[in-house]
PDB file of all heavy atoms in Angstrom:
ATOM      1  N   ASP A  78      -5.551  20.691  -2.328  1.00  0.00           N
ATOM      2  CA  ASP A  78      -4.232  21.461  -2.115  1.00  0.00           C
ATOM      3  C   ASP A  78      -3.241  20.794  -1.420  1.00  0.00           C
ATOM      4  O   ASP A  78      -2.029  20.620  -1.815  1.00  0.00           O
ATOM      5  CB  ASP A  78      -4.518  22.815  -1.436  1.00  0.00           C
ATOM      6  CG  ASP A  78      -5.266  23.853  -2.403  1.00  0.00           C
ATOM      7  OD1 ASP A  78      -5.119  23.681  -3.659  1.00  0.00           O
ATOM      8  OD2 ASP A  78      -5.993  24.608  -1.916  1.00  0.00           O
ATOM      9  N   ALA A  79      -3.480  20.219  -0.250  1.00  0.00           N
ATOM     10  CA  ALA A  79      -2.632  19.552   0.588  1.00  0.00           C
ATOM     11  C   ALA A  79      -2.021  18.373  -0.058  1.00  0.00           C
ATOM     12  O   ALA A  79      -0.871  18.026   0.018  1.00  0.00           O
ATOM     13  CB  ALA A  79      -3.153  19.171   1.943  1.00  0.00           C
ATOM     14  N   LYS A  80      -2.882  17.567  -0.664  1.00  0.00           N
ATOM     15  CA  LYS A  80      -2.495  16.277  -1.406  1.00  0.00           C
ATOM     16  C   LYS A  80      -1.503  16.671  -2.557  1.00  0.00           C
ATOM     17  O   LYS A  80      -0.500  16.029  -2.753  1.00  0.00           O
ATOM     18  CB  LYS A  80      -3.782  15.631  -1.876  1.00  0.00           C
ATOM     19  CG  LYS A  80      -4.523  14.904  -0.931  1.00  0.00           C
ATOM     20  CD  LYS A  80      -5.636  14.075  -1.454  1.00  0.00           C
ATOM     21  CE  LYS A  80      -6.474  13.382  -0.298  1.00  0.00           C
ATOM     22  NZ  LYS A  80      -7.430  12.677  -0.915  1.00  0.00           N
ATOM     23  N   LEU A  81      -1.900  17.671  -3.368  1.00  0.00           N
ATOM     24  CA  LEU A  81      -0.970  18.056  -4.433  1.00  0.00           C
ATOM     25  C   LEU A  81       0.287  18.647  -4.008  1.00  0.00           C
ATOM     26  O   LEU A  81       1.292  18.292  -4.571  1.00  0.00           O
ATOM     27  CB  LEU A  81      -1.718  19.167  -5.203  1.00  0.00           C
ATOM     28  CG  LEU A  81      -3.047  18.583  -5.987  1.00  0.00           C
ATOM     29  CD1 LEU A  81      -3.677  19.694  -6.753  1.00  0.00           C
ATOM     30  CD2 LEU A  81      -2.631  17.436  -6.953  1.00  0.00           C
ATOM     31  N   LEU A  82       0.376  19.327  -3.003  1.00  0.00           N
ATOM     32  CA  LEU A  82       1.514  20.055  -2.426  1.00  0.00           C
ATOM     33  C   LEU A  82       2.484  18.958  -2.022  1.00  0.00           C
ATOM     34  O   LEU A  82       3.789  18.908  -2.111  1.00  0.00           O
ATOM     35  CB  LEU A  82       1.251  20.993  -1.275  1.00  0.00           C
ATOM     36  CG  LEU A  82       0.786  22.343  -1.880  1.00  0.00           C
ATOM     37  CD1 LEU A  82       0.210  23.263  -0.637  1.00  0.00           C
ATOM     38  CD2 LEU A  82       1.783  23.145  -2.603  1.00  0.00           C
ATOM     39  N   GLU A  83       1.854  18.025  -1.166  1.00  0.00           N
ATOM     40  CA  GLU A  83       2.728  16.871  -0.654  1.00  0.00           C
ATOM     41  C   GLU A  83       3.248  16.028  -1.773  1.00  0.00           C
ATOM     42  O   GLU A  83       4.481  15.577  -1.710  1.00  0.00           O
ATOM     43  CB  GLU A  83       1.800  16.069   0.220  1.00  0.00           C
ATOM     44  CG  GLU A  83       2.480  14.870   0.967  1.00  0.00           C
ATOM     45  CD  GLU A  83       1.633  14.040   1.703  1.00  0.00           C
ATOM     46  OE1 GLU A  83       0.534  14.277   1.825  1.00  0.00           O
ATOM     47  OE2 GLU A  83       2.221  12.973   2.213  1.00  0.00           O
ATOM     48  N   ALA A  84       2.433  15.935  -2.755  1.00  0.00           N
ATOM     49  CA  ALA A  84       3.032  15.078  -3.958  1.00  0.00           C
ATOM     50  C   ALA A  84       4.101  15.667  -4.652  1.00  0.00           C
ATOM     51  O   ALA A  84       5.075  15.141  -5.093  1.00  0.00           O
ATOM     52  CB  ALA A  84       1.870  14.765  -4.886  1.00  0.00           C
ATOM     53  N   ILE A  85       4.046  17.010  -4.922  1.00  0.00           N
ATOM     54  CA  ILE A  85       4.893  17.701  -5.627  1.00  0.00           C
ATOM     55  C   ILE A  85       6.255  17.785  -4.816  1.00  0.00           C
ATOM     56  O   ILE A  85       7.357  17.517  -5.440  1.00  0.00           O
ATOM     57  CB  ILE A  85       4.464  19.260  -5.907  1.00  0.00           C
ATOM     58  CG1 ILE A  85       3.388  19.294  -6.830  1.00  0.00           C
ATOM     59  CG2 ILE A  85       5.653  20.035  -6.529  1.00  0.00           C
ATOM     60  CD1 ILE A  85       2.629  20.635  -6.991  1.00  0.00           C
ATOM     61  N   ALA A  86       6.167  17.996  -3.589  1.00  0.00           N
ATOM     62  CA  ALA A  86       7.415  17.969  -2.813  1.00  0.00           C
ATOM     63  C   ALA A  86       8.136  16.784  -2.745  1.00  0.00           C
ATOM     64  O   ALA A  86       9.422  16.644  -2.387  1.00  0.00           O
ATOM     65  CB  ALA A  86       7.067  18.382  -1.326  1.00  0.00           C
ATOM     66  N   GLY A  87       7.362  15.562  -2.963  1.00  0.00           N
ATOM     67  CA  GLY A  87       8.087  14.219  -3.080  1.00  0.00           C
ATOM     68  C   GLY A  87       8.474  13.751  -4.373  1.00  0.00           C
ATOM     69  O   GLY A  87       8.964  12.619  -4.429  1.00  0.00           O
ATOM     70  N   VAL A  88       8.367  14.622  -5.398  1.00  0.00           N
ATOM     71  CA  VAL A  88       8.822  14.091  -6.731  1.00  0.00           C
ATOM     72  C   VAL A  88      10.273  14.213  -6.979  1.00  0.00           C
ATOM     73  O   VAL A  88      10.873  15.200  -6.676  1.00  0.00           O
ATOM     74  CB  VAL A  88       8.215  14.989  -7.873  1.00  0.00           C
ATOM     75  CG1 VAL A  88       8.649  14.654  -9.237  1.00  0.00           C
ATOM     76  CG2 VAL A  88       6.602  14.796  -7.771  1.00  0.00           C
ATOM     77  N   PRO A  89      10.896  13.048  -7.236  1.00  0.00           N
ATOM     78  CA  PRO A  89      12.354  13.083  -7.426  1.00  0.00           C
ATOM     79  C   PRO A  89      12.719  14.025  -8.638  1.00  0.00           C
ATOM     80  O   PRO A  89      12.136  13.943  -9.653  1.00  0.00           O
ATOM     81  CB  PRO A  89      12.794  11.589  -7.759  1.00  0.00           C
ATOM     82  CG  PRO A  89      11.578  10.878  -7.268  1.00  0.00           C
ATOM     83  CD  PRO A  89      10.401  11.814  -7.298  1.00  0.00           C
ATOM     84  N   GLY A  90      13.770  14.852  -8.390  1.00  0.00           N
ATOM     85  CA  GLY A  90      14.140  15.732  -9.446  1.00  0.00           C
ATOM     86  C   GLY A  90      13.343  16.974  -9.623  1.00  0.00           C
ATOM     87  O   GLY A  90      13.714  17.873 -10.369  1.00  0.00           O
ATOM     88  N   TRP A  91      12.228  17.099  -8.763  1.00  0.00           N
ATOM     89  CA  TRP A  91      11.565  18.434  -8.774  1.00  0.00           C
ATOM     90  C   TRP A  91      12.384  19.455  -8.238  1.00  0.00           C
ATOM     91  O   TRP A  91      12.922  19.316  -7.082  1.00  0.00           O
ATOM     92  CB  TRP A  91      10.209  18.142  -8.035  1.00  0.00           C
ATOM     93  CG  TRP A  91       9.498  19.438  -7.854  1.00  0.00           C
ATOM     94  CD1 TRP A  91       9.242  20.285  -6.819  1.00  0.00           C
ATOM     95  CD2 TRP A  91       8.744  20.156  -8.926  1.00  0.00           C
ATOM     96  NE1 TRP A  91       8.496  21.299  -7.120  1.00  0.00           N
ATOM     97  CE2 TRP A  91       8.218  21.278  -8.278  1.00  0.00           C
ATOM     98  CE3 TRP A  91       8.542  19.916 -10.385  1.00  0.00           C
ATOM     99  CZ2 TRP A  91       7.427  22.175  -9.225  1.00  0.00           C
ATOM    100  CZ3 TRP A  91       7.833  20.802 -11.050  1.00  0.00           C
ATOM    101  CH2 TRP A  91       7.206  21.810 -10.399  1.00  0.00           C
TER     102      TRP A  91
END
Side-chain angles (χ1 to χ4, degrees):
D78 287 333
K80 292 185 178 181
L81 293 177
L82 287 169
E83 181 182 1
I85 293 171
V88 174
W91 177 251

